[in-house]
Amino acid sequence: MMNQAELIHWQKYFKAFVTEKMQQDPAHDIAHIQRVVTSGIALANKENADINIVLPACWLHDCVNVPKKSNLRAKGSILSAERAIEYLTEIKYPAHYFDAIHHAIAAHSYSANIETKTLEAKVVQDADRLDALGAVGMSRCCLLYTSPSPRDS
C-alpha cells in the first residue's frame, strides 16, 4: 500500500492528464471526474477497498470520450481502460495494479454490461453512478423531460 504522500503525488499526475489531455463532453468534464474521485475515496475507505486501484481508476475512468451516437459507445469503458493503462505505463505507476485498474474502468460502464468481479470495480462503478444520480444527473433527466419529444415534431 502506498502512503498518503505517495497517493497525493500520483493524483497530481492523474489530474493533469484528465485536465490537459482528455477530450471532454459536458457530462464527463473535470467536475464529474472530481466528484467520482471524491465518492470513490469515501467508498474505498468505508469498504476497505484498495485505494491504489480505486484512485487511478476513478481519475481515468472516462479518459476516452466516445460520442453517444457512435457504434463504439458500448466499448467506451474498454477503450478508456486501455488508454488508462498506456498512460499509467508512461508515468511508471506500479504495474502490479494494472489488471485490477483495467477491470475497474472497463466494468464501471452500464452500457458495457461487464460484471464487476472485484470490490474495487464495484466501488468505481458505484462512485460513477452516484454522480449520475446526483443533482447533475437529476438536471439531465429534467432536460430530457422538458425537451420536445420526436413525437411532438
Side-chain angles (χ1 to χ4, degrees):
M1 284 294 260
M2 290 184 223
N3 64 40
Q4 189 70 19
E6 290 172 309
L7 291 171
I8 290 169
H9 163 79
W10 287 113
Q11 279 202 93
K12 291 177 185 176
Y13 282 97
F14 306 150
K15 185 175 183 176
F17 178 76
V18 298
T19 302
E20 297 169 15
K21 306 286 185 191
M22 287 177 52
Q23 293 179 356
Q24 298 169 349
D25 67 41
H28 298 99
D29 61 4
I30 189 66
H32 163 71
I33 302 292
Q34 289 178 313
R35 288 188 301 269
V36 171
V37 168
T38 299
S39 295
I41 291 169
L43 290 168
N45 288 334
K46 180 77 171 162
E47 299 296 328
N48 295 314
D50 190 338
I51 197 69
N52 302 293
I53 297 165
V54 171
L55 192 63
C58 284
W59 275 107
L60 303 172
H61 76 281
D62 284 330
C63 68
V64 172
N65 180 7
V66 179
K68 292 261 186 221
K69 294 181 180 183
S70 171
N71 292 338
L72 296 176
R73 183 67 179 171
K75 295 181 189 265
S77 65
I78 294 168
L79 296 171
S80 287
E82 291 169 0
R83 179 62 185 111
I85 298 306
E86 289 173 10
Y87 174 67
L88 293 170
T89 301
E90 291 168 20
I91 64 170
K92 299 182 179 16
Y93 193 78
H96 60 278
Y97 295 116
F98 287 1
D99 287 343
I101 293 168
H102 188 283
H103 173 66
I105 294 172
H108 92 274
S109 170
Y110 180 81
S111 59
N113 198 27
I114 297 171
E115 179 186 356
T116 52
K117 296 181 180 179
T118 66
L119 175 60
E120 292 75 19
K122 290 175 184 177
V123 165
V124 174
Q125 184 181 75
D126 286 350
D128 186 57
R129 290 182 182 177
L130 280 171
D131 185 57
L133 293 174
V136 173
M138 291 301 295
S139 297
R140 288 189 206 121
C141 289
C142 290
L143 286 174
L144 288 174
Y145 290 108
T146 59
S147 298
S149 75
R151 292 174 295 179
D152 297 337
S153 300

